[in-house]
Amino acid sequence: MSKSLVNKYNIAGPRYTSYPTVPYWDSSTFSLEKWKTSLQRSFKESNKKEGVSLYIHLPFCESLCTFCGCNKRITKQHSVELPYINAVLKEWRLYLELFNEKPLIKELHLGGGTPTFFSPENLKYLISEILESSALALNYEFSFEGHPNNTTLEHLQALYDVGFRRVSYGVQDYNETVQKAIHRIQPFENVKNATEMARDIGYTSVGHDIIFGLPFQTLAHVKETILKTKSLFPDRLAFYSYAHVPWIKGNGQRGFKDTDLPSAPLKRAQYEMGKQLLAEVGYEEIGMDHFALKTDTLYQSMENGKLHRNFMGYTASKTKAMIGLGVSSISDSWYGFAQNVKDVKSYYELLKKNTIPVYRGHILNKEDLIVRQHILNLMCRFKTAWDKEDLYFEELPDALIQLKEMESDGLIKIGTNSITITEKGKPFVRNVCMAFDVLLKRKQPNNQLFSMTV
């Protein structure tokens, strides 16, 4: 890839797990009651047809990884497990009161933090209680994020017993210098054992998460990590750029200096080399920074046009309603977003008052919904169109003018009523989306809010 293109387009920009992006949510038009109404509408329209997605945030970790931008709480006290699980179940019951029928669960994902901080027994109790009050959609998919160092055979079996068939392991990088910098020491043998245990039990999809652009990381380090990953042949891979956002409160990104990070051209070279190595053994690129074998549901959903992107990342199917449980979780009704309080103590206090613990959100207007659809199309299919009147918005001509230069650089093709991102342009999909982001253009931030796009 041209170094000049990297330098030209390497700017701060959103990853577009939502539109509007969180910094541009309008709190003045949001309330808990409006959120409930929007979710009830979504549930009524879609529960019987497609079901709902459920994300559960389990924030506890025994040690701090200094690359992590997630909401987490560091503790070695496992006495926190049951009180937290019971609080999550209380929140779930408050949501159930909004519906006139059992939720049909299509997707359920455990994220963190470290979900496998919790004991197998407590995780099984959590899921069993949720399933007791729900029904299951056809072809439902349950998944969890596993830490290779502490995901045991008992964890895998307990979750398998309640319907889990997919696990993703955070690998990041196998080089010891890089691992020390990010405070994440995990030998290849631990990842190998965790991967093989899942397959032996019967998990049908094992994923690995790898990051490029980490402190002290070289091309040789990335190559070594990819080659070791290929030997285990995970069904899908997240291979994404390290998001350096140390200004966000609560982040642990303090274990290294900015000067320890690879340059933007080196980061891009790391990605291109990794992508080539993965393609050689049959991995297909899915959306942005994701790869899957043709046997995996993520690839199949891309092929049949059903790939979706939300706060859980890329998913094999779309549900209008996604309910987030636990501290900091974000819910999506399609018509609105709502985020829970980030502090465990505040979360408990609101639940004691029988209040859904939301502290901010956004109700989407007509323009938001149109722009959101275009950005989803670009992120999931690398193309979008506005041949129908309901996908036209007032500032679309301005977006097309802005995109002319990207067309000149061979990154996109602009048709009469459409845009297609070229193979050359795929690494710059975030930049293309930014041309549609009317809120970002109307109010450019004074401070950096987002990680760099390249």
Side-chain angles (χ1 to χ4, degrees):
M1 181 185 295
S2 163
K3 184 176 178 180
S4 62
L5 281 179
V6 171
N7 291 335
K8 183 176 182 179
Y9 291 107
N10 186 33
I11 59 175
R15 287 180 179 250
Y16 290 111
T17 45
S18 76
Y19 182 85
T21 56
V22 176
Y24 289 90
W25 286 0
D26 184 357
S27 58
S28 68
T29 60
F30 179 83
S31 69
L32 180 57
E33 289 309 309
K34 285 183 180 179
W35 160 244
K36 290 178 183 178
T37 300
S38 78
L39 182 60
Q40 286 171 318
R41 174 188 175 187
S42 175
F43 185 86
K44 186 177 180 180
E45 291 173 351
S46 63
N47 184 52
K48 285 181 179 175
K49 290 187 291 184
E50 60 188 30
V52 303
S53 296
L54 198 57
Y55 171 76
I56 305 174
H57 190 74
L58 302 172
F60 302 109
C61 302
E62 287 198 348
S63 64
L64 178 67
C65 301
T66 57
F67 70 91
C68 180
C70 300
N71 179 280
K72 64 271 179 186
R73 186 174 177 186
I74 310 302
T75 180
K76 292 186 184 293
Q77 302 301 315
H78 286 263
S79 57
V80 300
E81 292 185 32
L82 266 180
Y84 186 81
I85 284 176
N86 286 326
V88 167
L89 292 172
K90 172 73 176 287
E91 185 185 1
W92 176 239
R93 289 192 292 273
L94 290 175
Y95 273 112
L96 291 176
E97 291 173 7
L98 301 179
F99 311 136
N100 58 5
E101 61 187 22
K102 279 189 174 184
L104 195 64
I105 297 181
K106 176 72 173 178
E107 295 174 323
L108 189 153
H109 183 71
L110 301 180
T114 306
T116 45
F117 170 95
F118 288 75
S119 72
E121 295 78 16
N122 283 338
L123 289 175
K124 192 169 186 177
Y125 164 64
L126 168 65
I127 303 304
S128 298
E129 288 294 305
I130 286 173
L131 296 182
E132 186 77 23
S133 55
S134 315
L136 291 174
L138 283 174
N139 303 315
Y140 67 90
E141 190 172 89
F142 290 1
S143 58
F144 75 96
E145 296 167 13
H147 193 314
N149 286 356
N150 67 11
T151 301
T152 64
L153 183 68
E154 290 75 20
H155 279 116
L156 289 161
Q157 187 65 58
L159 290 171
Y160 184 89
D161 291 345
V162 288
F164 284 73
R165 296 295 181 269
R166 190 168 78 78
V167 56
S168 60
Y169 292 118
V171 173
Q172 325 325 337
D173 188 283
Y174 284 117
N175 179 266
E176 192 173 327
T177 300
V178 176
Q179 289 187 353
K180 284 180 179 177
I182 63 175
H183 202 238
R184 176 85 170 205
I185 306 296
Q186 52 189 32
F188 172 73
E189 289 70 25
N190 290 10
V191 181
K192 182 175 184 287
N193 290 340
T195 299
E196 290 175 349
M197 282 192 300
R199 287 183 169 145
D200 289 344
I201 286 172
Y203 282 75
T204 54
S205 179
V206 178
H208 288 184
D209 292 351
I210 299 170
I211 303 179
F212 61 93
L214 289 168
F216 306 110
Q217 197 177 42
T218 66
L219 272 173
H221 296 155
V222 174
K223 184 176 183 180
E224 178 196 21
T225 295
I226 294 289
L227 291 176
K228 285 184 173 180
T229 298
K230 283 165 59 174
S231 73
L232 298 179
F233 223 45
D235 300 273
R236 64 174 71 168
L237 281 162
F239 181 42
Y240 56 94
S241 168
Y242 164 58
H244 190 54
V245 286
W247 56 85
I248 295 179
K249 185 180 179 183
N251 265 0
Q253 300 178 342
R254 293 290 185 276
F256 42 85
K257 303 187 293 291
D258 287 2
T259 52
D260 297 328
L261 297 170
S263 65
L266 176 55
K267 278 181 72 176
R268 207 63 234 167
Q270 290 173 344
Y271 180 78
E272 294 298 331
M273 181 192 65
K275 177 181 172 181
Q276 179 60 37
L277 290 170
L278 293 170
E280 289 171 4
V281 289
Y283 286 97
E284 299 285 338
E285 190 169 19
I286 310 292
M288 181 181 78
D289 303 340
H290 284 67
F291 297 81
L293 298 174
K294 288 185 176 181
T295 51
D296 193 82
T297 56
L298 207 59
Y299 172 80
Q300 293 160 7
S301 71
M302 182 189 71
E303 285 293 284
N304 61 30
K306 292 184 177 179
L307 187 68
H308 184 56
R309 184 170 172 83
N310 57 26
F311 285 103
M312 293 192 288
Y314 282 105
T315 61
S317 60
K318 175 196 167 189
T319 61
K320 251 186 181 178
M322 188 194 91
I323 299 172
L325 304 176
V327 290
S328 78
S329 284
I330 298 178
S331 299
D332 176 2
S333 68
W334 188 256
Y335 306 110
F337 301 117
Q339 184 172 23
N340 282 351
V341 293
K342 297 183 177 183
D343 175 67
V344 174
K345 183 181 178 184
S346 302
Y347 178 71
Y348 290 165
E349 286 173 352
L350 285 167
L351 288 168
K352 282 179 184 175
K353 298 174 184 174
N354 294 319
T355 301
I356 293 174
V358 162
Y359 86 105
R360 66 174 173 178
H362 179 88
I363 302 300
L364 283 77
N365 60 32
K366 184 180 178 182
E367 179 190 78
D368 292 339
L369 289 165
I370 293 172
V371 174
R372 178 186 194 182
Q373 189 59 62
H374 284 301
I375 287 177
L376 271 173
N377 291 343
L378 291 166
M379 295 297 291
C380 296
R381 285 169 269 289
F382 294 117
K383 60 184 177 181
T384 194
W386 50 93
D387 46 343
K388 296 178 182 176
E389 192 176 317
D390 59 356
L391 284 176
Y392 185 88
F393 60 101
E394 189 177 343
E395 295 178 46
L396 180 59
D398 294 334
L400 296 176
I401 292 170
Q402 185 181 341
L403 287 166
K404 279 291 182 184
E405 193 167 355
M406 295 191 84
E407 185 178 40
S408 299
D409 287 331
L411 307 181
I412 60 171
K413 291 180 181 177
I414 302 177
T416 306
N417 293 303
S418 67
I419 284 177
T420 302
I421 299 174
T422 65
E423 192 65 32
K424 182 181 177 183
K426 284 181 179 180
F428 304 101
V429 60
R430 290 165 69 185
N431 300 75
V432 180
C433 291
M434 287 168 72
F436 284 79
D437 191 337
V438 295
L439 297 175
L440 181 64
K441 285 190 280 188
R442 285 173 194 161
K443 189 180 178 183
Q444 287 289 333
N446 295 321
N447 303 313
Q448 188 173 342
L449 298 176
F450 307 107
S451 61
M452 304 303 281
T453 57
V454 177

